[in-house]
Amino acid sequence: MSHHGSSGNPRTVRDVVFVDGVRTPFGRAGEKGIYAGTRADDLMVKCIRDLLRRNPSLPPERVDEVSVAATTQTGDQGLTLGRSAALLAGLPRTVPGFAIDRMCAGAMTAVTTTASGIGFGAYDVVIAGGVEHMGNHPMGSGADPNPRFMSERLVDPAALNMGNTAENLHDRFPAITKERTDAYAVASQDKLAAAYGKGQIQPDLVPVATLKPEQGWALNSVDEPPRPGTTMADLAALRTPFRAHGRVTAGNAAGLNDGATAALLASSDAAAELGLPVKMRLVSYAYAGVEPEVMGIGPVPATEKALKNAGLGIEDIGLFEINEAFAVQVLSFLDHFGISDHDPRVNRYGGAIAVGHPLASSGVRLMNQLARQFEEDPTVRYGITTMCVGLGMGATVIWENPHHPDYNTAAESGPESVTEGAAA
């Protein structure tokens, strides 16, 4: 991917690496949730401060950009979050920042946008993440969809309600039954509980102190949404709020949640210079649009595009971190690629059905979990993080495992990727 200009000065695309990622514990949105009364920007500040604390060899003034995503950019999620959170976190005033919105793929877009800046040579080190306080800002609150969406039938009315889009996906793929989605949801809860039991989730959680009028101070160090021990019978009893006799329930979908995430990215040269760890290397990424009324199918074309860009096939992917907005959406992806419902490569630590999905923050949670699995399993060379996005999109990022024996040969050979220009 090196670009040789007529002047004879080549511009090379630099390797981008994922150095570290953290997140707050995820909470249940609403007045009973752990973050009721906590500001969204303060959750983000916690993450930024913890990234700096965990990486003491990084001088704060070397951070070139702070990109923070939120879906509902108003109130405590407004005011150009990247800049305001950077200032509140105590970064030098010389460090700029910006806010970003791609709904559920907000943090993922914050990562890929700033990573592109690193690849281009504009940045050496960046912080990218996302926050969503769905208790303070319910999905769509304050939004005013243009009436033309409906009057000109630009989208199906179901496109503006995520639960309806999931029911539509069931209609499109009748082989994905409610029993299958419930079984997938039970497995997600079980896998998360097992990961907690082995201490695989806790290392990347930032404890958050909260103050509530009646209860006083509390230190929140674990996720609130999980329901370990959930059974098929429990899920069978839940109502289907989006459609009479439907298939989508609160049990086989992610809940409404609060939480924040942040990642530290760098060029491989800057990471080496500053003594920063390398947990993953960015191989390729892609976004794709689909019909808004079946937005859950978005990860399929996005993944096909990202694989094509990387010169890889689905068989090259050894680990999948797929955001579980709805079980049906994950299963439609697995069916498309001929992967079984219980494939051990998929969501090893469980997913959003168990842990929660604070919209714009979830992309970096997927990356944290993939980075941990890379460390545990050096036999895997490539993994992906992928998610569906409201209004009909998909987002996919492919990563390489630095612990894999062939990792160092990536720059000289291997798939067309962001390394291609490194030796030019």
Side-chain angles (χ1 to χ4, degrees):
M1 241 196 233
S2 57
H3 305 292
H4 294 267
S6 55
S7 64
N9 293 329
R11 175 185 287 288
T12 58
V13 176
R14 305 190 304 165
D15 262 353
V16 181
V17 296
F18 182 96
V19 170
D20 198 9
V22 297
R23 67 178 178 88
T24 66
F26 288 169
R28 289 193 190 125
E31 54 194 34
K32 292 184 182 157
I34 54 177
Y35 298 129
T38 300
R39 290 180 59 100
D41 48 12
D42 284 336
L43 293 177
M44 197 66 227
V45 166
K46 283 275 179 206
C47 292
I48 295 173
R49 282 186 173 160
D50 208 56
L51 274 181
L52 296 170
R53 180 191 66 78
R54 286 161 58 119
N55 296 280
S57 68
L58 172 65
E61 64 274 10
R62 287 296 300 271
V63 177
D64 292 311
E65 187 74 273
V66 178
S67 174
V68 176
T71 304
T72 310
Q73 298 198 5
T74 180
D76 56 335
Q77 283 179 188
L79 208 63
T80 313
L81 263 171
R83 175 61 171 166
S84 57
L87 290 170
L88 290 162
L91 281 166
R93 293 181 180 191
T94 48
V95 177
F98 65 101
I100 210 157
D101 169 25
R102 200 199 293 262
M103 290 191 162
C104 311
M108 194 172 272
T109 306
V111 165
T112 56
T113 299
T114 52
S116 301
I118 294 170
F120 190 76
Y123 308 137
D124 285 330
V125 180
V126 300
I127 291 172
V131 61
E132 206 75 49
H133 197 308
M134 298 178 76
N136 292 354
H137 308 285
M139 196 171 358
S141 67
D144 178 17
N146 194 301
R148 286 181 50 230
F149 276 126
M150 295 306 164
S151 62
E152 298 180 21
R153 294 189 170 83
L154 295 178
V155 297
D156 185 286
L160 300 178
N161 179 301
M162 298 303 122
N164 289 340
T165 67
E167 288 283 6
N168 288 347
L169 216 47
H170 274 287
D171 293 342
R172 184 172 283 201
F173 301 113
I176 305 178
T177 61
K178 182 174 185 298
E179 289 67 35
R180 266 182 80 190
T181 57
D182 283 353
Y184 182 88
V186 166
S188 182
Q189 296 282 358
D190 290 346
K191 287 191 283 187
L192 180 72
Y196 255 105
K198 292 179 189 158
Q200 291 161 318
I201 302 291
Q202 297 91 324
D204 299 321
L205 294 183
V206 186
V208 178
T210 54
L211 178 62
K212 292 201 179 148
E214 304 80 43
Q215 299 135 312
W217 286 97
L219 188 65
N220 304 286
S221 57
V222 295
D223 294 302
E224 187 180 26
R227 296 180 185 273
T230 296
T231 65
M232 288 292 283
D234 295 336
L235 297 187
L238 296 174
R239 60 189 192 89
T240 56
F242 305 107
R243 190 185 290 186
H245 311 294
R247 293 135 304 191
V248 179
T249 69
N252 58 33
L256 304 177
N257 307 108
D258 307 332
T261 62
L264 195 57
L265 305 164
S267 67
S268 56
D269 293 345
E273 177 210 338
L274 296 166
L276 297 168
V278 172
K279 294 188 175 180
M280 306 193 287
R281 182 183 73 87
L282 179 67
V283 176
S284 76
Y285 68 85
Y287 297 89
V290 296
E291 303 97 313
E293 58 271 23
V294 285
M295 65 100 197
I297 201 68
V300 168
T303 298
E304 288 176 333
K305 204 167 162 184
L307 287 168
K308 186 165 177 276
N309 290 348
L312 295 171
I314 197 74
E315 67 284 352
D316 295 310
I317 304 303
L319 286 166
F320 294 85
E321 276 295 319
I322 309 173
N323 191 44
E324 299 170 355
F326 301 93
V328 63
Q329 161 250 313
V330 181
L331 295 172
S332 68
F333 178 95
L334 299 181
D335 282 1
H336 177 86
F337 288 110
I339 298 168
S340 97
D341 292 13
H342 306 291
D343 192 301
R345 296 173 296 169
V346 177
N347 291 9
R348 281 189 180 174
Y349 296 174
I353 288 170
V355 81
H357 173 33
L359 306 180
S361 69
S362 284
V364 167
R365 177 190 67 78
L366 301 174
M367 294 168 197
N368 288 347
Q369 295 192 183
L370 183 62
R372 284 271 158 219
Q373 290 159 49
F374 272 171
E375 203 173 356
E376 284 170 11
D377 192 347
T379 66
V380 172
R381 184 163 183 187
Y382 298 108
I384 72 171
T385 50
T386 186
M387 60 207 312
C388 60
V389 188
L391 294 184
M393 292 183 283
T396 298
V397 189
I398 302 179
W399 302 92
E400 186 182 14
N401 186 355
H403 309 288
H404 188 275
D406 293 336
Y407 176 72
N408 288 330
T409 64
E412 290 84 55
S413 63
E416 156 71 9
S417 72
V418 291
T419 56
E420 280 282 306

